[in-house]
C-alpha cells in the first residue's frame, strides 16, 4: 500500500462524496504528478470511483434523469471506450492534454469568453456529449464536463448529485471493461486496492452525513477552480520539462 495514493484517495473521495465526481477528476492529475503511469492511475482509481457512485445511486435513484443518462450511454460511452483504447496502445504523454485542459476549465468562471464557449457547447448537447467522451477517454477528466452539464439542468441538490454519479459510474465501468479487453491494466495488488476502496467508502459515509447537507456550493466552486488551475499548471510544466 502506498501512503501517497491513500492520501489522494481520502481527499478525492471526500470531494466525490459531495458532488458525484472527484476521484477520477482530481485523482488523475494528482497521481500523474506523483509519477504513476496513466494505466496504473486508472487501475487504482476506477474501483474507488464506482464504489462511491453506487452508494450515491442507491440513496437517490428515484431522482436520476434517465433521459440524460440514456443519451450519455448513446453518445458519450462509445468515445470513452475508443479513446481509452487508443491511449493505452499509443502510450502518448497525456500531460500535454490534461494540463491545458485543467487550466481552461479553471478559468471558465473568470473569463466571459471561456464561460460563453462552455455555455455554447452545452447548448449543442449531442456534440457536447461526444466531446465529453473524447476528453474522458483520453484524459480521465470528463467529470468536469459532466458536472457542468448536470448543473446547467438546474436540478435540485439530490438529483444533481445522483445524475452526475450514475453518469460517472458508467464512465468508470466501461473504462474497466476496456482495460480488461485490451489487456492494458496494470498489475493489481489486491490487498492494497481493497484498502483503497474501503477507505473511499469510509470517507463517503463520513462526508455524506457530516458535510453534504451543509456544503456551500459557491465556496467549493472557488476551491475547485483554484485546484484545477494549480494542477493544470504543474502538470503542463512537468510534461514539457521531460
Amino acid at each position: 500500500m502506498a501512503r501517497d495514493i491513500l492520501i489522494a484517495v481520502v481527499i478525492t473521495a471526500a470531494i466525490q462524496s459531495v458532488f458525484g465526481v472527484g476521484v477520477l477528476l482530481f485523482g488523475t492529475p494528482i497521481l500523474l504528478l506523483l509519477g504513476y503511469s496513466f494505466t496504473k492511475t486508472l487501475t487504482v482509481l476506477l474501483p474507488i470511483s464506482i464504489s462511491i457512485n453506487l452508494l450515491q445511486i442507491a440513496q437517490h435513484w428515484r431522482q436520476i434523469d434517465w433521459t440524460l443518462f440514456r443519451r450519455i450511454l448513446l453518445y458519450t460511452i462509445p468515445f470513452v471506450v475508443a479513446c481509452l483504447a487508443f491511449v493505452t496502445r499509443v502510450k502518448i504523454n497525456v500531460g500535454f492534454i490534461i494540463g491545458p485542459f485543467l487550466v481552461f476549465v479553471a478559468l471558465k468562471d473568470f473569463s466571459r469568453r471561456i464561460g460563453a464557449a462552455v455555455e455554447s457547447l452545452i447548448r449543442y448537447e449531442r456534440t457536447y456529449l461526444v466531446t465529453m467522451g473524447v476528453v474522458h477517454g483520453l484524459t480521465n477528466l470528463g467529470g468536469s464536463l459532466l458536472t457542468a452539464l448536470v448543473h446547467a439542468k438546474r436540478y435540485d441538490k439530490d438529483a444533481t448529485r445522483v445524475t452526475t454519479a450514475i453518469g460517472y459510474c458508467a464512465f468508470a465501468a466501461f473504462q474497466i471493461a476496456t482495460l480488461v479487453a485490451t489487456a492494458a491494466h496494470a498489475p493489481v495488488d489486491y490487498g492494497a486496492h481493497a484498502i483503497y476502496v474501503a477507505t473511499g467508502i469510509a470517507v463517503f459515509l463520513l462526508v455524506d452525513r457530516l458535510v453534504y447537507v451543509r456544503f456551500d456550493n459557491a465556496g467549493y466552486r472557488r476551491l475547485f477552480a483554484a485546484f484545477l488551475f494549480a494542477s493544470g499548471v504543474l502538470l503542463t510544466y512537468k510534461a514539457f520539462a521531460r
Side-chain angles (χ1 to χ4, degrees):
M1 181 184 68
R3 184 177 300 178
D4 53 359
I5 292 179
L6 191 61
I7 293 172
V9 168
V10 171
I11 295 171
T12 59
I15 296 172
Q16 181 153 328
S17 297
V18 175
F19 292 104
V21 302
V23 170
L24 301 180
L25 178 62
F26 291 96
T28 299
I30 289 174
L31 295 191
L32 289 175
L33 285 169
L34 291 173
Y36 294 98
S37 69
F38 188 59
T39 302
K40 171 67 173 179
T41 295
L42 289 176
T43 304
V44 169
L45 298 179
L46 288 172
I48 303 167
S49 181
I50 289 176
S51 300
I52 295 174
N53 284 151
L54 288 175
L55 291 172
Q56 293 169 326
I57 293 166
Q59 280 186 327
H60 302 294
W61 63 271
R62 291 182 179 85
Q63 294 179 264
I64 294 171
D65 182 343
W66 293 105
T67 299
L68 178 59
F69 179 61
R70 285 192 293 269
R71 290 174 180 169
I72 288 173
L73 291 177
L74 180 61
Y75 297 111
T76 304
I77 295 302
F79 289 91
V80 171
V81 172
C83 291
L84 177 57
F86 173 78
V87 168
T88 56
R89 290 180 182 277
V90 177
K91 307 295 183 185
I92 65 173
N93 181 356
V94 295
F96 287 103
I97 301 171
I98 296 174
F101 177 73
L102 285 176
V103 172
F104 180 80
V105 173
L107 293 176
K108 71 182 178 63
D109 291 329
F110 301 96
S111 167
R112 291 183 178 180
R113 289 186 178 182
I114 295 176
V118 173
E119 290 179 6
S120 177
L121 187 58
I122 290 175
R123 293 193 192 103
Y124 300 95
E125 190 167 273
R126 291 182 183 179
T127 302
Y128 189 94
L129 292 172
V130 170
T131 302
M132 186 164 67
V134 172
V135 169
H136 197 75
L138 292 176
T139 69
N140 220 22
L141 301 176
S144 59
L145 294 177
L146 177 60
T147 300
L149 177 62
V150 172
H151 279 274
K153 301 288 185 179
R154 300 184 183 277
Y155 304 131
D156 63 32
K157 185 178 181 181
D158 292 338
T160 295
R161 187 175 73 162
V162 75
T163 300
T164 303
I166 194 170
Y168 212 45
C169 189
F171 288 179
F174 278 92
Q175 284 176 286
I176 288 179
T178 302
L179 291 175
V180 172
T182 59
H185 53 289
V188 177
D189 181 343
Y190 290 100
H193 280 62
I195 293 174
Y196 299 145
V197 172
T199 299
I201 292 173
V203 169
F204 167 76
L205 295 174
L206 183 65
V207 171
D208 188 63
R209 291 188 177 187
L210 299 181
V211 179
Y212 178 63
V213 295
R214 305 176 183 178
F215 205 84
D216 182 350
N217 286 324
Y220 172 71
R221 281 196 298 270
R222 290 192 293 269
L223 179 62
F224 175 84
F227 185 89
L228 282 181
F229 184 85
S231 297
V233 170
L234 289 174
L235 192 57
T236 302
Y237 172 78
K238 183 177 179 181
F240 281 95
R242 289 184 177 182

